[in-house]
Amino acid sequence: MKYLVTGGAGFIGTNFTRRLAAEADAEIVVLDKLTYAGRRENLADLESSGRIRFFEGDICDPAAAALAMAGADIVVNFAAETHVDRSIDDPSGFVRTDVEGVRVLLEEFRRTAGSLFLQISTDEVYGSVEKGRSREGDPLRPRSPYSASKAGGELLAMSYFTTWGVPVIVTRASNNYGPWQYPEKLIPLFVTNAMEGKDLPLYGDGLNKRDWLFVDDHCSALSAVIGKGRPGSVYNIGSGEEQTNIEVTTSILDLVGADRELIRPVSDRPGHDRRYALDTGLILGELGWRPSVGFREGLARTVKWYEENRAWWEEIKSGRFGEYYRRMYSARLAASGGRD
Ligand code: NAD
Ligand code: TYD
């Protein structure tokens, strides 16, 4: 089976590609633009051993898409701009990659004899869910430029199924965490800041809730969807393990062995979604998938990975990330008596 994995040098793409590479009959091509979030060295061993072929290119570029997709049976589209705070700072790249990039890939896929186009989406398309759990048929009410762009991308993908019978499946996963995650997102930012003895900028009252999914569980769910999912379907993927941000933060500090004094409440994110929660009955009932890593175990494994891979994240944090961090956090931290 020949796969095209787009965004394979990012967080989930790296974990998924490494899992796929363990399957003997998988022929793998990765297409990645290597934005600030993409790191080719994540896959360097697989590339140098010839296990994968790597194309540096943009999913919005039809020529790059055509070259990378040649002969592919299955396309797994992870490529996206992914950070909510960056989408609030500047939505333009989000609309381009997360909507237009999906169109370019779908147009190319429509011309091939591929058997599946898997569009990786997010639970954030449902918007903030004060009570209950989102089901696949619920209305989409995205509230950030990131989630609005992801909703546009997945709706476009499903329109290719309806209009032309293109075999499309959409998955909506909850917040992932684990190895190789760029340290702008809550868990890797707080783990690495705690290791450096820096303040942890906690937004608002710290009571926003997320359903935290260990990345290996997300990848095993995607394998189940590829193997047995029905084209034209949407599948939620979540752990059911809801945590408030303050609970996540104190667990991190305990695992790192750092002081709770590092917690620094700062001004809230505009339009901050209060809660995401998924009903995962469909993927459980239809595909028999369930998560296998609990939050405590997953977080301990994540902290251990960041402890053992300091060079990976220190290189990121000492580069362009520093400028981003100061722009996003300096004033907010200073206003609350903290420092960056
Ligand atoms: P990430 O930001 O770590 O990686 C994104 C990757 O896409 C990077 O390697 C980047 O270089 C690449 N990329 C960006 N724009 C590109 C373009 N125009 N052409 C080619 N490559 C491009 O993201 P992630 O956290 O690994 O998320 C992967 C996918 O999963 C995204 O589609 C995201 O919306 C979705 N998702 C993420 C989460 C999460 O918690 N991280 C949860 C649910 C869904
Ligand atoms: P994030 O990792 O950005 O994921 P998302 O917003 O896509 O769910 O944030 C997870 C939660 O953590 C969210 O409620 C915002 C909060 N948060 C902070 O409190 N401080 C931070 O510095 C970051 C990055 C996030």
Side-chain angles (χ1 to χ4, degrees):
M1 199 65 88
K2 186 166 173 187
Y3 289 81
L4 169 62
V5 181
T6 65
F11 162 48
I12 306 171
T14 292
N15 283 280
F16 181 78
T17 301
R18 300 189 76 81
R19 175 188 174 92
L20 201 57
E23 289 178 19
D25 65 344
E27 200 184 315
I28 306 163
V29 171
V30 170
L31 173 65
D32 199 296
K33 188 182 170 185
L34 299 178
T35 67
Y36 77 92
R39 304 193 74 77
R40 191 167 180 163
E41 61 268 34
N42 293 359
L43 303 171
D45 54 332
L46 299 179
E47 209 185 332
S48 59
S49 68
R51 187 67 195 83
I52 66 165
R53 279 194 299 148
F54 191 97
F55 291 123
E56 181 175 346
D58 189 336
I59 61 164
C60 301
D61 172 3
L67 190 67
M69 209 182 286
D73 303 302
I74 296 174
V75 174
V76 187
N77 181 31
F78 291 103
E81 290 293 339
T82 62
H83 193 35
V84 173
D85 290 327
R86 288 187 195 254
S87 81
I88 294 167
D89 200 35
D90 180 5
S92 58
F94 288 75
V95 177
R96 186 175 178 278
T97 293
D98 301 6
V99 184
E100 170 66 2
V102 181
R103 184 197 68 79
V104 170
L105 291 175
L106 286 161
E107 273 304 304
E108 188 54 37
F109 188 74
R110 192 152 82 87
R111 281 192 281 274
T112 71
S115 60
L116 178 63
F117 187 99
L118 178 53
Q119 172 62 17
I120 307 300
S121 193
T122 163
D123 64 353
E124 303 194 23
V125 297
Y126 293 114
S128 194
V129 185
E130 305 294 322
K131 281 199 295 260
R133 293 176 174 276
S134 305
R135 300 176 71 132
E136 287 83 350
D138 286 356
L140 305 189
R141 296 198 175 92
R143 290 160 28 96
S144 74
Y146 164 64
S147 53
S149 305
K150 290 296 293 184
E154 67 156 83
L155 291 172
L156 194 61
M158 214 40 100
S159 80
Y160 274 63
F161 171 77
T162 308
T163 310
W164 293 289
V166 174
V168 167
I169 295 182
V170 168
T171 53
R172 297 184 185 138
S174 61
N175 284 65
N176 280 221
Y177 66 102
W180 313 100
Q181 189 169 26
Y182 191 85
E184 65 189 351
K185 305 277 169 37
L186 176 76
I187 288 184
L189 178 68
F190 281 18
V191 168
T192 58
N193 274 14
M195 287 176 183
E196 294 176 303
K198 286 186 172 167
D199 286 344
L200 310 188
L202 186 65
Y203 298 163
D205 62 7
L207 295 177
N208 301 65
K209 284 186 179 166
R210 299 291 184 263
D211 168 312
W212 290 100
L213 177 67
F214 191 61
V215 66
D216 286 1
D217 279 332
H218 186 187
C219 293
S220 73
L222 296 178
S223 297
V225 168
I226 290 167
K228 293 185 279 180
R230 273 181 301 118
S233 302
V234 176
Y235 295 96
N236 286 343
I237 306 173
S239 68
E241 287 215 63
E242 266 183 57
Q243 305 269 335
T244 62
N245 292 338
I246 187 72
E247 285 167 339
V248 172
T249 304
T250 51
S251 299
I252 289 171
L253 289 169
D254 291 349
L255 282 163
V256 173
D259 203 310
R260 296 208 177 172
E261 298 279 293
L262 292 180
I263 299 173
R264 183 68 53 189
V266 296
S267 59
D268 210 352
R269 169 189 283 172
H272 193 174
D273 286 342
R274 192 64 168 169
R275 174 176 176 263
Y276 304 131
L278 290 175
D279 181 314
T280 53
L282 183 65
I283 192 167
L284 174 65
E286 235 183 63
L287 310 184
W289 174 86
R290 61 178 76 240
S292 64
V293 182
F295 186 70
R296 292 204 67 77
E297 182 197 338
L299 192 64
R301 281 165 64 175
T302 303
V303 168
K304 187 163 181 283
W305 189 87
Y306 282 87
E307 266 163 6
E308 290 172 356
N309 291 275
R310 277 193 92 107
W312 184 85
W313 57 265
E314 279 177 350
E315 194 197 325
I316 293 172
K317 282 188 128 180
S318 61
R320 274 185 298 165
F321 181 85
E323 187 199 313
Y324 161 82
Y325 193 74
R326 281 187 293 280
R327 186 157 47 84
M328 298 303 252
Y329 293 100
S330 287
R332 289 155 102 180
L333 282 165
S336 64
R339 67 203 146 72
D340 58 37

